Amino acid sequence: MTDRTGPRPTPTDPAGPHPARTSTSAEPVLPHPVARDAAEPARVLPDWLVERARAWAAEPGTPVEPRRAATVVILRDTPAGPEVYLFRRATTMKFAAQMHAFPGGGAEPEDADIAATAVREVFEETGLRLTDLTPWARWITPEFEPRRYDTWFFVAGLPAGQAPEYFEGGEADHVVWLRPAEAVRLHAAGELAMLPPTVETLREMAGLPDVAAVVAAAVGRDATTPIVPRAVLTPDGARMVLPGEAGY
């Protein structure tokens, strides 16, 4: 939770709870993430995750119960295509420090539902007041992680007349707007650290022409069945595999 009483420096590139939109389309529901080559750079786990996966494989324990959470992919249209809002988690964060992520956080008892969690967290972290969310996916942290989350991913267009803010001393130390394909490219080049669910989400959005197309794609997805990644150890590290893929 961010203290919104502090200073509000604006990002380098600036631009009440509402029920999440559910699918009413007659189109078939799509499975969650399209199977990809698990050897791709986006699927290679960082060293600190490899260490945890190896320790778990050597001595499995009892998985931690995941905490419910929500995150929102905030998008805006540009002449070059839609851009997403990413912030780099501060070094003080206990989970995923220095990883680029979407705004969001854990559910609180006062939240009416998971969409309310998303709205509250986005407001606390960016000052944006979202009124229209569409579910995209649901990811659960792998069993070997000591901090686990059952995270609902939503998508939302940047509300007209609003611009995100971030707060010195808060959860982020840098923010950026990027096209999904560019964010994935930077990640593969080692220039933009992100966790696998963030990368996979961006990969799925890459190529969609505008915010409306992203929202339309979200309506046709299975956003309720949890995706629980697994780590497959290799001689030189580990890679992530998803349900339905070889090695899962």
Side-chain angles (χ1 to χ4, degrees), residues 52-75:
R52 290 177 182 175
R54 289 193 184 282
W56 181 269
E59 190 175 348
T62 302
V64 174
E65 185 70 21
R67 179 186 177 186
R68 282 169 60 83
T71 189
V72 183
V73 186
I74 301 168
L75 302 109

Side-chain angles (χ1 to χ4, degrees), residues 78-238:
T78 76
E83 292 181 337
V84 300
Y85 182 77
L86 292 164
F87 69 82
R88 186 175 62 197
R89 295 172 63 83
T91 55
T92 55
M93 299 300 294
K94 295 180 180 179
F95 178 77
Q98 292 296 279
M99 295 285 115
H100 286 78
F102 311 119
E108 298 293 349
E110 65 268 22
D111 295 334
D113 53 28
I114 202 63
T117 298
V119 170
R120 175 183 54 76
E121 283 287 334
V122 167
F123 176 71
E124 291 174 356
E125 295 178 2
T126 71
L128 295 174
R129 296 180 180 274
L130 301 180
T131 59
D132 198 6
L133 302 176
T134 307
W136 181 269
R138 181 184 173 193
W139 289 76
I140 296 181
T141 313
E143 292 183 346
F144 61 80
E145 278 278 57
R147 291 178 180 273
R148 302 183 68 215
Y149 295 91
D150 179 353
T151 306
W152 290 71
F153 283 62
F154 296 88
V155 297
L158 179 67
Q162 296 188 45
E165 303 170 340
Y166 77 100
F167 305 88
E168 290 183 343
E171 298 183 6
D173 60 15
H174 177 71
V175 298
V176 65
W177 287 96
L178 287 172
R179 288 180 293 111
E182 178 66 5
V184 172
R185 185 193 69 78
L186 290 172
H187 173 76
E191 299 176 21
L192 196 76
M194 295 185 286
L195 291 176
T198 307
V199 181
E200 287 294 315
T201 300
L202 293 168
R203 287 173 59 88
E204 292 169 349
M205 294 178 179
L208 294 173
D210 52 32
V211 175
V214 175
V215 174
V219 172
R221 292 171 56 88
D222 174 7
T224 59
T225 303
I227 305 164
V228 187
R230 289 183 178 173
V232 174
L233 298 174
T234 63
D236 57 351

